[in-house]
């Protein structure tokens, strides 16, 4: 991550921005690590001025809010895409099904057998056998 550009979004002086960017780079921090920033963590890395830590934490919090809203937008986009794909597949299947007035078919629809009545009949037979055996 380009720490200088990220830290320049704060109102820190350019010399501090450069110094803290070097500190983050030396500690091999990446963008995902911003979520773990807290006062003690920044102080342990050598950022001893409380106001500077406060500005960095404020920026980190703002970036975290942006990333959560963008991930929500991605989820909404995914849901919309799934719904549109579902509609498209249904439309294509309707085109392929046989119509009563058509002579030829591109796709034969298999009718699903309703097993519920068969299951009910079997259960009734079993229950009557059990009740007569007692």
């Amino acid at each position: 991550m380009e720490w200088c550009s990220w830290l320049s979004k704060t109102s820190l002086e350019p010399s501090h921005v450069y110094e803290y960017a070097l500190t983050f780079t030396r500690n091999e921090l990446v963008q995902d690590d911003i979520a773990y920033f807290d006062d003690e963590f920044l102080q342990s890395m050598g950022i001893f001025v409380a106001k500077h830590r406060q500005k960095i934490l404020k920026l980190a919090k703002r970036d975290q809010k942006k990333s959560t809203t963008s991930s929500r937008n991605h989820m909404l986009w995914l849901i919309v895409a799934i719904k549109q794909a579902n509609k498209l597949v249904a439309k294509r299947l309707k085109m392929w099904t046989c119509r009563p007035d058509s002579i030829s078919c591109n796709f034969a629809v298999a009718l699903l057998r309703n097993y519920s009545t068969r299951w009910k009949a079997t259960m009734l037979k079993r229950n009557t056998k059990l009740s007569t055996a007692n």
Side-chain angles (χ1 to χ4, degrees):
M1 177 171 180
E2 181 58 39
W3 290 111
C4 280
S5 63
W6 185 75
L7 288 168
S8 65
K9 296 175 187 175
T10 63
S11 59
L12 293 171
E13 293 180 20
S15 61
H16 295 297
V17 167
Y18 180 72
E19 178 187 344
Y20 298 150
L22 282 177
T23 302
F24 291 164
T25 305
R26 281 188 202 121
N27 285 295
E28 299 179 3
L29 297 178
V30 293
Q31 186 173 4
D32 294 338
D33 297 328
I34 294 173
Y36 303 107
F37 281 10
D38 65 359
D39 199 52
E40 292 174 18
F41 179 73
L42 293 176
Q43 194 170 13
S44 72
M45 285 196 314
I47 303 173
F48 296 114
V49 181
K51 187 68 174 177
H52 295 179
R53 291 193 307 268
Q54 186 180 28
K55 289 178 181 181
I56 293 170
L57 291 174
K58 190 184 292 186
L59 179 62
K61 188 176 181 180
R62 192 174 10 159
D63 274 8
Q64 198 168 13
K65 283 183 183 179
K66 285 181 184 178
S67 68
T68 55
T69 56
S70 68
S71 65
R72 286 183 194 151
N73 290 341
H74 292 303
M75 284 299 286
L76 289 174
W77 178 86
L78 180 63
I79 291 169
V80 168
I82 289 171
K83 286 183 178 181
Q84 287 177 347
N86 193 9
K87 287 178 184 178
L88 183 64
V89 167
K91 184 178 177 182
R92 296 292 181 203
L93 281 176
K94 285 180 184 177
M95 284 182 9
W96 290 340
T97 57
C98 295
R99 291 184 175 79
D101 57 340
S102 68
I103 297 171
S104 64
C105 295
N106 295 332
F107 180 74
V109 177
L111 297 174
L112 295 176
R113 186 170 179 181
N114 187 357
Y115 289 101
S116 65
T117 55
R118 189 174 175 189
W119 180 79
K120 287 178 188 175
T122 306
M123 290 302 289
L124 284 172
K125 286 180 187 176
R126 192 185 107 199
N127 288 340
T128 54
K129 284 181 184 178
L130 289 175
S131 63
T132 55
N134 290 333

